[in-house]
Structure formats: structure tokens, C-alpha cells
Amino acid sequence: MEHVPPPAEELARLDRELAELDARRAQLLTRRAWLLAALRPPAPTAAPGWDPSAWGAPPGGRPGAPAQPWGHVEPKQPSAPRSAQNVLLTLGGLLLTVAAIAFTLVSWGSMGIGGRSAVLAVVTLGALTAPAVLLRRKLAATAEVLAALALVLTLLDAYAVHAVAAPDTDGLGFTAVASAVLAALWTAYGLALGRLRLPLPAAVVLAQWPLLFWAWAAGAPALVVGWALLATAVLDGTIALLGKGTGVRITACVGGSVMGFSALLVGLTLSTTASGPLGAVAPGALLLTAAAAALAGAWRAPKGFARTGGVVAGLAAVAAVGGVPAAAVPEDWGVLAYLGAGLALTAVVRTRLPRNAKLGVLVASAVVVAGALAGTVPGIAAVLLGPVTLLSDVWAGPPDGFRSALGSTLPWTGLAAAPVVLAVSAGLLGAAYRWWPSLSRIAAPLWARETAGSAGVPGAGIPGASGVPGAPGAATHAPGAPWYAGGRAGTPWYGGGASDARRRPSGAALRGAAGAGAAVLAWGALLLGGAVLDVPYTVAVTGETALVAGLLALAVRGTERGRDGSAAVPVTALVGAVSAGLLSLASEGASYAVFGALAALFAGAAVRAKAAVPRAVFAVASTVWATVLTGFAGRSLGLAPHETAPLVLLVPALTVLLGARLRRNPVALPVELTGALGALVAVGLAVPDAPFLALVLALCGVLAAGAAVRPERRPVAGYLAAALFVLATWVRLAASEVSFPEAYTLPVTVPALVVGFLRRRKAPEASSWTAYGPGLAATLLPSLAVAWTDTDWLRPLLLGGAALVVTLLGARHRLQALLVLGGAVLALDGLHELAPYVVQVAGALPRWLPPALAGLLLLVVGATYEQRLRDARRLKDALGRMR
């Protein structure tokens, strides 16, 4: 819901914006005056009779002073800020307080009873009287400091009375009486001096302790202490609702929250530890009284506090009503009593409670149900994740019962009530789904807007705005319309009914969510019930598979009807399928049956589903289950993991064929990607054996080439197929212990050069680097690297001959890539061959000769620099003209 500001708040907002506009206008005018002064001609030289005011002084300065841009104002004389005054007053009050405490505790014994009483009485009376005098002279800060000192002195007076006049009395009882007297005294003092902000909050703080210390001093049982805390909380709530001043209300709210929470904690502890139903009645009465008090406070409290009060009242009522039957049943079944009480809170929608209080009570009901469901999470997690333990011993044989397959150490007998909780919650959501229209009519007031603007009436909620175009006070989006007018005629700035309705969940979405939640909770109830009852293994596997089939049927039905809120059902079906598959790993027959059924069920769901996303998800899941089946086949045939890899590729091959059949169907791409992951699994299985790995890589290349036949897959699948074929060749060569690099690079170079040649024939303007660069570099560069470390002469000779041929072809056909690559490799190869002789000659020459030759070369180059530069440019241009 949008917030409709009251007239006073809206008027204040308007005043703030107008003030900001005025300040900005003044700033702009000051800047304009400065600019005008800057554009004026310079003032004439001072002469007799010259008046500077005739030319105008620069803004913000004296005549002849530099102009001050952007509204500079002369600084005012510094004055002592109020913060410094407050610091001084606070320090003075603290010093006086410390002096009073020191006098009372240290110097008390050196004076007689009369002197002591006289000193404290005079000082306290003076501290209490001085604020009244100071307030009349408008010294409020000083009065507050002296009031704080008076508060400390009254506490010291109470301590002194107990220490001197009544030393034998009980300390707790005396504290209870003293705090009550002081609370009354400071209440009267605060009401008498209404301008002081300290006395009334201090009285509220003092009022927290009389009942609590009285119960403590009397040695009352815990239940009486709880009643004392609750009575104090009720008093705080009354002060928070009826008290004057923000400080009083905030203090009362904090105190009431602490005391009320303590009272609820005492009542809940006594209720849950009661020895029987009769023992839970008295704590229940305390909790019910607390609930009534919270609900009474929520009746008059603002929106946020009303909802909080409704939540507290609902939870306290559940603890009170559910605690009695919970004490009469075994501990594991007590949750059902609280769950029933929590569900009974939904009847609040038929009462006349305020709307916010109703929402708070309904939130409390939801919290109770959520807490009961949270208690079933460990059992559900054990049922779903327990079969993971079977991965270490696949097909070891079917266990005796369901629990044996889970491998969990949970106390299953203590979870006996969990399936009932899930079933009750599922029944509740199912009933809500079935009787949704009736429930919507009952709960309609909770969603109604508090103003007429919620119904989409333009301009509603603003006094004087009727929402009818042309009517008096109607807001219109036209010149002169109010600032809060929106984009459409008469639409207020805080939103209309239509947009608010879009933000609220629709009835169809809520109903769909209720139905999906009912299905998921029923599934969990059946699963957990099987584990609690320890059904036979065969029944558990069959039941889980049947539940997955039911969830898939509901998911398909939801997509056919376009129902909102059904996303939880497909997700639960996937989770259930994984759990059922893991559970079936204990038996070979069960594994084939379950995964075969899952593959068929998900494939059928993918065919029947109408929505694109569920259809793709179901198709992907079916592909995964089918891939697992091929792995099972290899294990049943007694094949090693690397020998199973070709069998696993059957499913990727089917996905390629299916993708070609589906074409541009949205399901095709997810299915093919899943098949690619299956192929990756096959490659991983074949890694231990190099020949099988080469075979698997080649088969994967065939599949990629088959996918590349389709134009929409060619950009990715074509390159992937080439890479897989090359990789398969390399693996095969490595398996055959072939070590020279040309055997690896030439199978890449030859096809790459052929492809480049065909491309150049089709597009002569294509660059030679794109056509021939990758293919030539694939062989020339690795061979050059090996040739530099090769001591034999054959490889450098063959490499130099090949590089020479490439260079000549590049020069003949004006191909830049061939010329540059061939020439660079030829030069480096020749340098490698001539290096020993160069080193030998250099060692025979005098040591001064190499520097002399280098200097001569530099002189020649420097003398012919311009010519060399023109030669370099011509060479660059010649290379640039090549393709």
C-alpha cells in the first residue's frame, strides 16, 4: 500500500521545497550580480570628485575589493556555540554528582546524624528548587543539569536512609519501597515542571523495579515473579499509549518490551517443563493474560506496533493453549498440540480486531507452522541425502529396510510426529487451494486499502480531491495542477490502485502457490513416513519412483493450465528423482528399473509440458538419466571404465540426432549441451588408456562434425570438430611414442593450408595472415624451436629449405604472411647454423676489431640516414601492398 501523507506533513514538505528554491534563487542572483560586475568596463583612475558607488562595488566586498563569486558573505563575529555550553554544563553536573557521591560514601561517618540529615536535605531541596527558578529565566539547559543532579541526590538520600535510619531492614524490600516512592515523587515533579525532559523518563525507569524487587524479597515462586514482570509491562504499555512526550513513550516502550519478554520467557519455561496438564494451566494463564494485554495494546497502537503486538499475542496464546495438551502427550508429539493451536489462530479473520492486529496474529500463526515444519527438516534431509552412502558400494545387494539404505544415525522414533506435521500442513494448504474463493471473500478486508485511493479512484485520499475530472478539487495533469499530480490525469504522486494491485500477489498466484506447497509437503510426509515405519527396501524404491511420477503429472498439469506458483513442484520432482536414483544403487535390478523409469517419465513430461522452461528441464533430466543407464550397461558387461566410454557416447549421439530433428525448438540446445557433458564424461572415463582416449576423441569429433552440418551449429561445432580430430591424432601419436613434432603439426598444417587456399579462391581480398598464417605457424614455429636445440644437421636443413620455398612463394604471389614467416624462420635457422663459425671467427679476431666494425657501421648508417629511412619506408609500403 502507498502511504497517503496527512495534510500537515504534506504542508511541511511543501514549505521545505519552497525554502530550498528560495535559497537557490538567491544564490543564482548573487552569481548574476558578480558576472555583471565582471563584464563592466574598468573603473577610471581615482580623481577629485570620483564616487566609487557610481560604478558599484563588487558584490560581497568593499569598493575596490576583489569580487567574491557565488554569494560570498562576510563572516560573522564568532560566538560561543550551544554545543560548548552543553559540554560545560555536562561537565559541571558530573563534577557535582561525583562530589555528592564522595561526600555520602566517604565523609558521612565524620558527622552526626543531625548534621548529615541537614546537609543532604538542604542540598537535595536546593537541587529540586533551582530548576523551577532557572526555567522562569529561560535557562533550560542548566535546569536539566540540576534536575539530573537532584535525581542522583534522591537516590543517595534513599541509600542514606537505609544505611542510617533502617539498617536492619531487608535490602530488596527497602529497594522496592524506595523505587516506588521515588517513581511517584519524580512523576509529580515532572508533571509540575513540564518543560523538563528528564524527570518523567526517570520516573518510568524507577517504576520498573518495585514489583520485581518485592517478589524477589518475598521469596515468591517463579510464577509470581512472572506475574510481577507482566504487571510492570502492562503499566509500561499504558504509559506508552497515554504518556506525554517522546522520551517518556520511548522509555516505556523499551521497559515494557524487556519486562514483557521476561514474563513470556518465565511462562514459556514453566509451561514446557510442567509435569502434567494441571501443572501447565497456571503458566498458561500467565501467557494468556500476556496475550490479552498485547492484543489490547495493539488495538490502539500505530501500524507497526499493532502488528508486533498481534504477533506477540498470537505466539503467547499458542504457548498457553498448546502447552496444556503438550504436557499430556509424549514429548515427541507435543509439537502437534502447538501446531493445532497455531492453526486455530487463523479464525482471527472473522473477528473485529483492527486490521494490523489481525495481520500480526496471522503472522504468528505462520511462524508456528513454519517452526513445526522446521522440525521435520533433519528427517527429510536424512531421507534425501542418506542414500549418498551407497555410492561407495554400488550394487552390494538390497538392504533389509528403508533405514538401512539411508545410513543415518537419527533417532527415527523421535521423529514419529514429523510425518503427521507434514500431512496436516499439506491438508491445510490443500483445503486452502480447494476453497480459495470462499477464503478470498473472508480475507478480503485484510487486503483492502484504508483509503478510497486503493480502489483506483484518482485523487482519492487527498482532502478536496474527488477524482472526477472537472469536479471541485480534482487533481489534473495540466498547467497549474498541484505538484503531486502524476502522469495520468488525477493520479496522485503516491500511486494509484492499478499499480498497487500489480504489486500485490494475484489470487491465482497465491492459489497456485498453495497447491504447489500442498503437493510438496504431502510428498515429504510420505517419504518421511516410510523412513519412520522402516518399510521394506523394495517398497521404498517403488514408492519414491511413484511419488516422482505423481509430482511430474502435477507439474505437467500446472503448465497446461498456466498456473502460477507451480515452480516448486518440478524442482521437488527433480530432487525426488535424484534421491530415488541414489536409493536404487544398492541393487542392480533396481538401478535399471528406476533410472529407466525416470528417463521415460521425464521424457514424457517434456513432451506433454506446455511451458518452455519446464519442458527443457525435463528433457535435460531425461538425458542425464539415460546417460547413467549407459554407464550401468558397461558395468554389467564387466567392462573397464575406459572401455565403457564408447557406450556412454550413445546418448550424445542420440542428442545430436534429436537436435537435428527438433531444429530451432527451444529444447534442442539444452538437450545437445547435456549430451556434450555426457561426451565429456566419456572422455574422462577414457583418460587412463591413451588408445581408447584417442578413439573417444575421434568419435566426439565425428559427433561434433555431425552437429556442424546444421548451419546454426556450424560456427561452434565446426571448430570443435577440428580441434577434437587434431587432439585425437596427437593422443594416438603420443600413445605410439612418436616424439618428433612434425608428426603432430603437419596434420594440422596441411588441412589448414587447404582451407586457406579455398578461402582465398572464394574471396581473393582475404588477408594471407588469416588464410595461411595459422597453418604455417603451426609447423614452422615448433620446428624452429626444436631445431635450435638439435645438434643434428637434418632438421635445420629441411626446415631451412621449407622456409626458403615459403619465402619465394610469398615474394612471387605477393603474400605478406608467407614472406614474413618464411623469411623470419629462414634467417633464424641460418643464424643457428652459422653461430658456431661466427663465434670461432670472433674469437680469432683482435678484441678491438668488433667495436671498430660496429662504429663504422653506425657511421655509414648515420651518413646515409635519409636514404635508409626512404628505403625502410619503401619496404614498409611494399609489404603493406601485399595480402
Side-chain angles (χ1 to χ4, degrees):
M1 295 187 301
E2 300 288 348
H3 172 62
V4 181
E9 181 181 347
E10 190 172 347
L11 181 60
R13 186 180 301 174
L14 283 172
D15 291 339
R16 286 196 301 269
E17 293 196 5
L18 289 174
E20 293 175 0
L21 290 175
D22 290 338
R24 179 60 177 167
R25 184 174 183 274
Q27 185 183 26
L28 293 175
L29 288 175
T30 305
R31 176 64 176 174
R32 181 178 181 274
W34 182 85
L35 293 173
L36 288 175
L39 293 175
R40 287 172 181 167
T45 306
W50 175 66
D51 185 8
S53 61
W55 293 90
R62 300 177 305 277
Q68 304 295 330
W70 293 105
H72 175 77
V73 180
E74 290 292 337
K76 297 180 180 180
Q77 293 296 326
S79 59
R82 294 189 60 84
S83 58
Q85 178 188 7
N86 293 335
V87 170
L88 294 175
L89 291 174
T90 303
L91 289 176
L94 288 176
L95 291 175
L96 288 176
T97 302
V98 171
I101 295 174
F103 169 76
T104 305
L105 297 179
V106 178
S107 300
W108 188 258
S110 61
M111 299 179 65
I113 184 63
R116 289 179 261 178
S117 302
V119 170
L120 272 180
V122 170
V123 173
T124 304
L125 183 61
L128 290 172
T129 307
V133 178
L134 294 172
L135 287 176
R136 285 197 296 269
R137 297 187 178 183
K138 297 182 180 181
L139 299 175
T142 309
E144 291 286 354
V145 173
L146 290 180
L149 176 61
L151 175 62
V152 175
L153 289 175
T154 53
L155 296 176
L156 293 175
D157 288 337
Y159 167 76
V161 170
H162 178 263
V164 176
D168 298 330
T169 59
D170 180 53
L172 292 175
F174 183 85
T175 303
V177 175
S179 57
V181 172
L182 290 177
L185 171 65
W186 280 97
T187 300
Y189 188 76
L191 293 176
L193 300 178
R195 294 174 59 187
L196 290 178
R197 291 177 292 181
L198 178 65
L200 290 179
V204 174
V205 174
L206 291 170
Q208 308 300 310
W209 312 113
L211 292 177
L212 178 61
F213 280 115
W214 168 80
W216 195 358
L223 185 61
V224 177
V225 175
W227 281 106
L229 292 170
L230 180 59
T232 306
V234 171
L235 175 62
D236 289 330
T238 305
I239 295 173
L241 290 174
L242 304 178
K244 296 188 301 181
T246 305
V248 174
R249 293 189 174 187
I250 292 177
T251 307
C253 284
V254 174
S257 300
V258 174
M259 294 297 177
F261 178 77
S262 302
L264 291 174
L265 188 62
V266 170
L268 182 62
T269 303
L270 294 176
S271 178
T272 54
T273 57
S275 57
L278 294 178
V281 171
L286 173 63
L287 293 171
L288 276 180
T289 306
L295 208 57
W299 200 290
R300 295 189 55 184
K303 178 173 66 174
F305 291 98
R307 292 183 180 179
T308 304
V311 172
V312 173
L315 294 177
V318 168
V321 176
V324 176
V329 298
E331 181 180 357
D332 302 330
W333 293 89
V335 64
L336 294 178
Y338 295 106
L339 178 62
L343 296 178
L345 292 179
T346 55
V348 75
V349 297
R350 303 302 298 269
T351 64
R352 293 187 177 181
L353 280 176
R355 173 178 171 275
N356 292 308
K358 286 183 182 180
L359 288 176
V361 174
L362 291 178
V363 169
S365 176
V367 169
V368 173
V369 176
L373 292 176
T376 66
V377 171
I380 294 292
V383 173
L384 294 178
L385 302 178
V388 175
T389 57
L390 298 175
L391 292 174
S392 60
D393 198 8
V394 177
W395 294 357
D400 297 333
F402 192 8
R403 296 182 193 170
S404 301
L406 300 180
S408 176
T409 58
L410 282 178
W412 293 105
T413 55
L415 295 174
V420 181
V421 171
L422 291 170
V424 170
S425 303
L428 175 67
L429 291 179
Y433 174 80
R434 175 65 179 84
W435 306 105
W436 186 261
S438 301
L439 292 176
S440 299
R441 287 192 296 270
I442 294 174
L446 293 179
W447 301 104
R449 289 286 298 267
E450 293 178 351
T451 63
S454 64
V457 180
I462 302 178
S466 63
V468 180
T476 57
H477 192 63
W483 64 275
Y484 48 77
R488 291 179 295 177
T491 304
W493 67 274
Y494 44 79
S499 61
D500 189 69
R502 284 194 300 270
R503 283 190 293 271
R504 291 198 302 266
S506 64
L510 292 175
R511 186 182 186 189
V520 172
L521 293 178
W523 165 79
L526 292 174
L527 275 185
L528 196 53
V532 170
L533 296 176
D534 196 16
V535 298
Y537 173 76
T538 305
V539 176
V541 173
T542 306
E544 282 206 41
T545 309
L547 288 176
V548 172
L551 290 173
L552 286 176
L554 289 176
V556 170
R557 185 180 179 186
T559 59
E560 290 175 349
R561 298 187 176 185
R563 186 174 301 138
D564 296 330
S566 57
V569 177
V571 173
T572 307
L574 288 172
V575 174
V578 173
S579 178
L582 292 174
L583 188 63
S584 68
L585 295 179
S587 172
E588 182 178 1
S591 299
Y592 278 106
V594 170
F595 278 94
L598 291 176
L601 288 172
F602 278 89
V607 173
R608 293 289 304 277
K610 302 300 181 183
V613 175
R615 187 189 308 157
V617 172
F618 295 153
V620 167
S622 178
T623 306
V624 172
W625 310 142
T627 305
V628 175
L629 280 174
T630 58
F632 288 162
R635 183 180 177 87
S636 297
L637 295 174
L639 301 177
H642 64 273
E643 296 173 336
T644 307
L647 286 177
V648 176
L649 289 178
L650 291 176
V651 174
L654 292 176
T655 60
V656 172
L657 297 175
L658 184 61
R661 176 70 177 83
L662 296 175
R663 288 291 176 181
R664 298 188 181 278
N665 193 298
V667 178
L669 181 60
V671 169
E672 290 182 86
L673 291 177
T674 308
L677 291 178
L680 188 61
V681 172
V683 172
L685 291 174
V687 166
D689 190 273
F692 260 91
L693 179 59
L695 173 63
V696 170
L697 289 172
L699 293 176
C700 292
V702 172
L703 296 179
V709 174
R710 298 158 53 193
E712 67 272 14
R713 299 287 185 261
R714 189 170 301 153
V716 176
Y719 290 107
L720 181 61
L724 288 171
F725 283 131
V726 171
L727 191 58
T729 304
W730 289 355
V731 172
R732 180 67 261 185
L733 290 172
S736 301
E737 299 182 355
V738 176
S739 58
F740 53 92
E742 289 77 13
Y744 296 88
T745 57
L746 285 176
V748 179
T749 296
V750 174
L753 292 178
V754 171
V755 172
F757 177 75
L758 295 176
R759 180 177 181 182
R760 286 273 300 171
R761 286 189 61 184
K762 186 177 180 181
E765 70 278 1
S767 172
S768 61
W769 288 101
T770 304
Y772 303 118
L776 291 174
T779 293
L780 292 178
L781 297 182
S783 298
L784 178 64
V786 176
W788 270 78
T789 59
D790 194 354
T791 58
D792 201 1
W793 58 271
L794 182 58
R795 176 176 279 109
L797 177 62
L798 295 177
L799 178 61
L804 178 61
V805 172
V806 171
T807 305
L808 295 176
L809 288 175
R812 172 68 180 81
H813 296 285
R814 303 181 62 80
L815 298 176
Q816 187 182 108
L818 275 67
L819 182 62
V820 173
L821 281 175
V825 172
L826 181 61
L828 292 174
D829 186 63
L831 178 62
H832 172 264
E833 292 302 310
L834 293 176
Y837 303 102
V838 173
V839 172
Q840 184 177 0
V841 171
L845 293 176
R847 294 185 178 273
W848 56 266
L849 188 57
L853 294 175
L856 180 62
L857 177 62
L858 291 175
L859 288 175
V860 171
V861 173
T864 60
Y865 176 75
E866 296 295 335
Q867 182 63 34
R868 302 287 80 78
L869 188 59
R870 287 192 295 269
D871 293 342
R873 287 173 179 170
R874 282 197 296 270
L875 178 60
K876 177 184 176 183
D877 295 339
L879 286 175
R881 288 191 295 269
M882 293 183 179
R883 286 290 181 182

